[in-house]
Amino acid sequence: MNLVALLIAPAVVRFGHGDDANPWVRAAVAAVALLVVVVAVLLSKRRSVEAA
């Protein structure tokens, strides 16, 4: 989760403040980040753990 935050932080800062501020792009970046987290959680739940 922290890695996702580090990867999207520059985009959020760039499109969140200043002349390049665009709330739609910021919302899209947040939506993509949320999708990545949800997919990662779902994939981790699908994998089974086998006893050795």
Side-chain angles (χ1 to χ4, degrees), residues 11-38:
V12 171
V13 170
R14 179 177 178 193
F15 296 115
H17 304 289
D19 295 334
D20 291 335
N22 188 340
W24 292 106
V25 173
R26 189 175 57 197
V29 168
V32 169
L34 180 62
L35 180 66
V36 167
V37 170
V38 169

Side-chain angles (χ1 to χ4, degrees), residues 1-11:
M1 193 103 151
N2 289 335
L3 180 59
V4 173
L6 286 174
L7 292 173
I8 68 165

